[in-house]
Amino acid sequence: MMSAIEKQVIQAAKAALEVVGDLAKLKSTDPRAAAVLAVIRGLAEAVASGFARKIDPKNLRKTIESARGEIRGVIAANDAAIKDRIDQKFPVGEPPK
Amino acid sequence: MRSHMPAFLLYLGVFFACIGLAAAPAACTKNQRVNTIQTSLVAVNVARDGFTAWDLQHQSAIVDAASSRDEAEQKIAAYKAARDPVIAGFEIAYRALAMAATQTDDSSLAVALKASSDLFLAVKQLRGGT
């Protein structure tokens, strides 16, 4: 049987999915928005399907530490991609385009 | 064109965090406590994914708009300086949640929820200030 909080999370996720659906119509022409939307849908659906309840309470701390480590890794990857983008647009030793 | 999707992720995160706050009475049961921490963790993760997606998009836009290497590097450096406190905010929120996960007192849970709320505000401010 679902607890009150679980029902609330699922209701919130359903409401969020409806908003996502509206945004998808508004932004369907932007490919980047479509990519981000796919991520949002995945996350919202994961929550709606009870993702939050599947985290083992015994491993909660480990799960949190793992999630914490991810942000540094993603930010480092972003920064590396931007460095490549700068190098590509403004090659060293060549005059600006 | 700036997408509104990462902002939506933040609102979603705040929404779930509010649910977590509403579901955390002064003396909640062990299960309610775990549920609250899990909900907050999902909210912070959603905010993190929204923020990192926006971060790449925003930095790319800065480079695209720059007319010289120097300009691009300077503006990226200025953005990174503004971004640092937000990344620190994620660390604080995760650390507070991890702490709350190993304790049973109300204050550690309240600290974790406040750290999450502060983080959402910091991200919102960074987006608003750029």
Side-chain angles (χ1 to χ4, degrees):
Chain A
M1 192 174 168
M2 280 193 295
S3 68
I5 178 68
E6 288 164 349
K7 284 178 186 169
Q8 281 178 306
V9 169
I10 290 167
Q11 279 173 1
K14 280 179 181 171
L17 278 172
E18 285 172 20
V19 178
V20 169
D22 291 341
L23 287 171
K25 286 174 201 162
L26 292 172
K27 289 290 184 182
S28 58
T29 52
D30 185 343
R32 288 170 302 183
V36 179
L37 262 174
V39 175
I40 297 170
R41 274 201 201 97
L43 284 165
E45 282 167 3
V47 175
S49 67
F51 169 75
R53 288 180 290 134
K54 287 179 184 169
I55 300 171
D56 182 356
K58 288 177 189 168
N59 291 324
L60 188 55
R61 189 185 169 98
K62 205 185 285 181
T63 305
I64 293 168
E65 292 293 349
S66 164
R68 179 184 157 198
E70 278 179 39
I71 187 161
R72 291 277 178 194
V74 178
I75 290 293
N78 283 358
D79 290 350
I82 291 304
K83 189 180 177 305
D84 287 347
R85 201 177 178 108
I86 292 174
D87 288 343
Q88 218 168 17
K89 186 175 177 185
F90 305 109
V92 179
E94 286 186 19
K97 288 177 186 174
Chain B
M1 178 166 53
R2 283 174 63 169
S3 165
H4 296 285
M5 297 306 107
F8 171 73
L9 277 176
L10 289 179
Y11 300 142
L12 190 65
V14 173
F15 191 45
F16 286 136
C18 289
I19 292 171
L21 286 166
C28 59
T29 66
K30 189 181 172 187
N31 278 346
Q32 282 173 324
R33 182 187 177 87
V34 169
N35 282 337
T36 301
I37 294 169
Q38 286 175 343
T39 305
S40 299
L41 175 61
V42 170
V44 175
N45 282 348
V46 168
R48 177 200 62 196
D49 292 341
F51 175 70
T52 52
W54 176 79
D55 173 69
L56 181 61
Q57 185 185 323
H58 184 64
Q59 290 198 69
S60 300
I62 290 172
V63 175
D64 291 347
S67 54
S68 71
R69 188 181 183 94
D70 278 352
E71 184 190 348
E73 286 177 343
Q74 278 173 14
K75 287 190 172 172
I76 290 292
Y79 164 70
K80 283 182 180 173
R83 187 188 66 180
D84 282 347
V86 173
I87 296 173
F90 275 100
E91 295 269 344
I92 291 166
Y94 280 123
R95 209 173 297 139
L97 284 170
M99 181 66 77
T102 58
Q103 306 295 315
T104 55
D105 60 312
D106 288 343
S107 62
S108 66
L109 186 57
V111 166
L113 295 173
K114 185 173 185 311
S116 304
S117 299
D118 289 349
L119 166 68
F120 299 138
L121 282 176
V123 177
K124 206 172 166 184
Q125 278 173 357
L126 177 66
R127 280 186 51 87
T130 52

